[in-house]
Amino acid sequence: YKTKIRVRRPKKHYTAFEGRVWALCAKMGFDYINSDQNFKLEYETGLEKQIDVFACDSETILVFECKSTNERKRVNYQKEINELAGLKNKIRFAAQNLTKGKQKVAFIFCTNNAVISKNDRLRLENHSIFHFNQDVIEYYEQLTDHLGNAAKYQLFGELFAGQNIPELKNKIPAIKGKVSAGHTIYSFCVDPEYLLKIGYILHRTDTNPETTQAYQRLVKKSRLNQIAKYIDRSGYFPNSIIINIETKSSRGLRFDPASKIEHDGSTHFGILHLPKTYRSAFIIDGQHRLYGYSKSKSQLNHTIPVVAFHNLPTDEQAKIFVDINHTQKSVPANLLQSIMADFHWDSDNDKQALSALKTRLFTDMNSDDDSPFYKRVILAEEKKTDKRCLTIQTLKSWGLNRVKYFGILRGDNLIQTGYLQETKREKTLEKSILFFNHCFKYIESQLPGQWELGKGDGGFIAMNIGVTAIIRILDDILDLIVANEKIDPYSFKGDELAEKTIKYLDPITSFVRDLDYEGTKKLRGLFGSGATEKVQREFQNAIHQKFPEFNPEGLEQWIQESSGQFDSPAHELGHNHIEPMIDECIRNMLKREYGVKDDKWWIDGVPGPVQKKCSERKIDERSTKPPHHFLTTMHYHSIIKSNWMLLGDCFTPPGMGNAGKDKKLTWLDKFNKIRIKYSHPQREHVTEQDLEFLKDLYRWLSININQKVAIYPA
């Protein structure tokens, strides 16, 4: 600054991570937290254990062990886990003595950037120690930012699921009934604080691979604040919050019918004994209303109406969520794909089941911190970033739906099995994850800079178009391997099958590595469903150059067309014959109809928007030429349509007399796309099929114009 200097020194990554966990507990409103990093708990006389983060309130004690690495890498924590597991009971006893209570105690092993092994995960699970990686911490940070202290209940639902909540009053009057599908429902009013304690929200995030059947979007802070203000102004919500109460059995929910009450309905009135356990009520709809009460400053005793299902399957919960929200606020396409995958997973319809499998493949890899697709896929409403730029819909429609990995469908039925299929769907998913992780780990290792860029400037291979092209090329490679090596793909594990593809992936990584900036820009700039096929052909050609036996159908023709041999004849025919023919016909017909004097043909015959665009271009180019000099091929589309009685017959293809105007003029759109090719061959070459189209177009245009147009004399 003008008179002073401010210096910033970043914390060490391990100190910063411990600080994040500590701050999270502070924001959640725990009554006691350790004051610094030197907090030690004496568990035996003269023996102490340093605790990274220690937090407690009247009901719970949380003990956090924090580990961090500077960059994402695999780390073995066997020693640390075994030490914590060995001291667990002693630490629990010492912690309860310190706080002079009988709180529930949870141990959380937190990691940042560290990819822990399956053995370490099993060790933590066997010793009832929770594992929170950086994503779980980030999720709770976001939740706390939105909910404040109420986010603590969501955390308790994760840590103490099924455990009793002391001194919770749970007897409430309710009406019991059944819906048409046979599910039992209860209707009642309850204190929001009670529902917050037993409630749990399945958020559709990528923090927990086990929570695959989550369906809720993350709460919006702005909506919560609006609801809280509305409540504080004596507002209320007459519509019910919808929940699902889960018990271990159908008899686990007690309902005492009221006696001596006569009525004519098919429902029953009585006293419902709600569960007194954490994570026993799942919020299907109304999370914003519920948490809005938690942020309200009003001192009034509110109750909220609730409709509760009992032991409703998760897929039914998700279906209700979609049905409700699809009519209110459109569910994002990626979130909808993800939800639909859950309740189509066990479908008897092969098409639905395969679609679910393809979605699960990428949702599971996205949440696996040992996968190259870790945090790369947009699953719900996450913000798109340079790295997180892949979308489920595109990966399926451009990639997985165009390959035979999972078999071939005819209608809704599977008629042929694929290379990655197993007898059970879970096994197919497991094999597929191994296959794709292994293949793309190799791509990532050979192109680390490219992979790291994502869709950032200069990136390509880790974008939708690059990933879907690799997915499709792997299908071609497997065809070659199975045919040439005479192997049985069903006898190989996913990573073993992937290992056989590596040598064929080398030419692709070399091709991408050798691309200059303009070459990369050209490939990443391709759009539409045909874009992936164009990149796939480039990859096929790269492999073919090194392995001539690799020759997928259509590659030879593509190589011929990509040579540019059709550019010159197409330019000759289109630029020197077809374009002048169309232009001359339209100008002469308009001049004959509207007159030449004072440019009447231009003023009365050409639509205003076209005149405007031509005039703007004339000004932009500072030209002295008249505006009609700047007419383009696509302008003719508007001119012909607005003068259909005059020009329609001239430009209607043979056999399309009964079609609509736009249908009759589709040839003009196609011609313009080819015109762009032969005008800019450095971007894309004209194909043999394109040239044949130009020849046919020239033939019938010549006949139509010569037969039906009397050329206006110059």
Side-chain angles (χ1 to χ4, degrees), residues 189-293:
C189 287
V190 69
D191 184 340
E193 182 74 11
Y194 176 88
L195 195 54
L196 284 168
K197 286 192 174 184
I198 69 167
Y200 192 77
I201 302 171
L202 286 170
H203 282 133
R204 198 78 191 185
T205 66
D206 58 345
T207 60
N208 189 349
E210 276 72 46
T211 320
T212 54
Q213 289 189 303
Y215 45 82
Q216 287 276 19
R217 295 168 284 192
L218 196 63
V219 288
K220 300 288 187 184
K221 186 175 183 178
S222 58
R223 287 188 66 190
L224 291 184
N225 291 334
Q226 290 170 359
I227 290 171
K229 288 178 181 178
Y230 173 71
I231 295 169
D232 290 338
R233 292 195 297 265
S234 300
Y236 62 91
F237 297 96
N239 51 326
S240 298
I241 289 173
I242 301 175
I243 68 173
N244 178 57
I245 299 172
E246 287 198 355
T247 59
K248 292 182 179 179
S249 67
S250 58
R251 296 181 180 179
L253 193 60
R254 180 178 168 186
F255 179 78
D256 299 330
S259 58
K260 298 180 182 180
I261 297 179
E262 294 185 5
H263 62 85
D264 298 321
S266 58
T267 57
H268 304 281
F269 177 75
I271 301 299
L272 177 64
H273 297 248
L274 287 169
K276 298 176 69 174
T277 55
Y278 290 108
R279 197 171 173 168
S280 54
F282 289 80
I283 314 301
I284 298 175
D285 184 63
Q287 61 167 340
H288 283 94
R289 275 169 280 152
L290 175 60
Y291 281 107
Y293 280 98

Side-chain angles (χ1 to χ4, degrees), residues 528-568:
S529 57
T532 294
E533 185 177 353
K534 293 172 184 176
V535 177
Q536 180 188 7
R537 289 298 188 193
E538 295 283 3
F539 289 170
Q540 287 176 340
N541 186 38
I543 299 174
H544 178 71
Q545 300 306 315
K546 187 172 181 179
F547 302 99
E549 68 274 17
F550 179 80
N551 193 20
E553 183 180 352
L555 178 60
E556 289 184 355
Q557 182 181 352
W558 180 86
I559 292 172
Q560 183 184 35
E561 292 172 347
S562 298
S563 66
Q565 65 176 348
F566 303 113
D567 293 342
S568 182

